[in-house]
Amino acid sequence: AQSVSQHNHHVILSEAASLELGCNYSYGGTVNLFWYVQYPGQHLQLLLKYFSGDPLVKGIKGFEAEFIKSKFSFNLRKPSVQWSDTAEYFCAVNARNGGFKTIFGAGTRLFVKA
Amino acid sequence: GAVVSQHPSWVICKSGTSVKIECRSLDFQATTMFWYRQFPKQSLMLMATSNEGSKATYEQGVEKDKFLINHASLTLSTLTVTSAHPEDSSFYICSASSGTPNTGELFFGEGSRLTVL
C-alpha cells in the first residue's frame, strides 16, 4: 500500500529564512504528486502538482518542489518565507493505478515569526 | 478554480442521533468524490471514495453501515453518520475530482466539524 511520510511535524522560521519541507512516498509505480496548504481557518488548497515532465515544478506564492524519482521524494522549497506562509502543509500522492485514491502525509505545521 | 462547498460547517448532536453532511461541487461535475476524516493534529484519513450512481468504496476499518455515503448526482455527495457517538466527533472533509482520467488533483470543501455529546 502506498504511504506518504513528511519529515517535520513542526517548523518555526523567521521571515526571509529559506524553507524546505521533506516528503517521501512509498510506491513503486507511476505517481502524481501534490502539495496542499491549509491556512488558518481556511480549507485545503492546491499549492503545486507534478504529473510528468520537468521534475522541478513551481507553484503559487513562490513555492517550488522537486521530484527525485530515485529517492521517492518530492520536497517543497521556498527561498524566503513570509509571515503569511504560516499554515499547515500536506504532501499527497496519487498512484496512477491505485484506484484514484490520494493519500496524504501527516502534515507539517509551519510558523513564520514576523 | 473549481469550488466545492460543504454544509453544515459545524454541527453538534446528541449521542444516538444521525447527522447528514452535504458536499456539492458548485461549478463542475464531480465524477468522483472523496470523504476524509481529520483528527486533531493529524493528517487526513481517507474514509471512502464515491462515484456518481454507484456504491461507495470504503477504506479498511471504516464501517460502511455507520458512515453512509450517497452520490446521487454529479454535483452532490452526502455522508450520514448514523447513531453517532462521541468517538465520531471529528472534522470531516469532502473533496472532489473532475475530468477523466482522474489525476488525483482534489478540490476541497470547507470541512464539517462534528461534535457528538
Side-chain angles (χ1 to χ4, degrees), chain B residues 4-102:
Chain B
V4 176
S5 178
Q6 251 179 275
H7 178 80
S9 56
W10 193 288
V11 58
I12 301 173
C13 70
K14 293 182 178 180
S15 185
T17 60
S18 295
V19 174
K20 179 185 284 188
I21 300 170
E22 293 187 347
C23 178
R24 295 181 183 272
S25 56
L26 300 185
D27 54 359
F28 69 103
Q29 292 185 325
T31 52
T32 307
M33 287 186 171
F34 304 85
W35 286 93
Y36 289 86
R37 183 173 178 176
Q38 187 177 29
F39 294 96
K41 300 183 179 180
Q42 294 187 33
S43 185
L44 288 77
M45 181 193 78
L46 180 63
M47 297 175 66
T49 303
S50 73
N51 293 291
E52 184 263 339
S54 61
K55 290 184 178 180
T57 301
Y58 290 82
E59 293 300 300
Q60 191 173 9
V62 178
E63 299 176 61
K64 62 180 181 181
D65 294 330
K66 179 160 194 64
F67 299 100
L68 300 178
I69 292 173
N70 183 277
H71 193 160
S73 75
L74 285 171
T75 59
L76 173 65
S77 176
T78 60
L79 167 67
T80 301
V81 183
T82 62
S83 186
H85 288 96
E87 58 265 29
D88 299 324
S89 298
S90 191
F91 194 57
Y92 294 89
I93 307 173
C94 79
S95 64
S97 63
S98 65
T100 305
N102 187 328

Side-chain angles (χ1 to χ4, degrees), chain A residues 6 17 31 35 47 49-50 59 74 82-83 86 94-95 100 105-106 108:
Chain A
Q6 288 183 241
V31 293
W35 276 96
L47 197 57
K49 61 188 176 186
Y50 171 81
F74 190 55
Q82 300 173 311
W83 175 81
T86 294
N94 176 276
F100 306 132
T108 298

Side-chain angles (χ1 to χ4, degrees), chain A residues 31-75:
Chain A
V31 293
N32 294 332
L33 300 161
F34 308 86
W35 276 96
Y36 287 90
V37 59
Q38 188 171 29
Y39 296 103
Q42 297 186 28
H43 62 276
L44 279 153
Q45 55 187 286
L46 182 68
L47 197 57
L48 48 78
K49 61 188 176 186
Y50 171 81
F51 292 166
S52 63
D54 189 344
L56 184 62
V57 293
K58 296 190 184 298
I60 60 173
K61 303 186 180 184
F63 285 90
E64 64 178 33
E66 184 176 12
F67 170 50
I68 302 179
K69 188 175 181 179
S70 61
K71 295 185 178 181
F72 298 90
S73 69
F74 190 55
N75 293 354

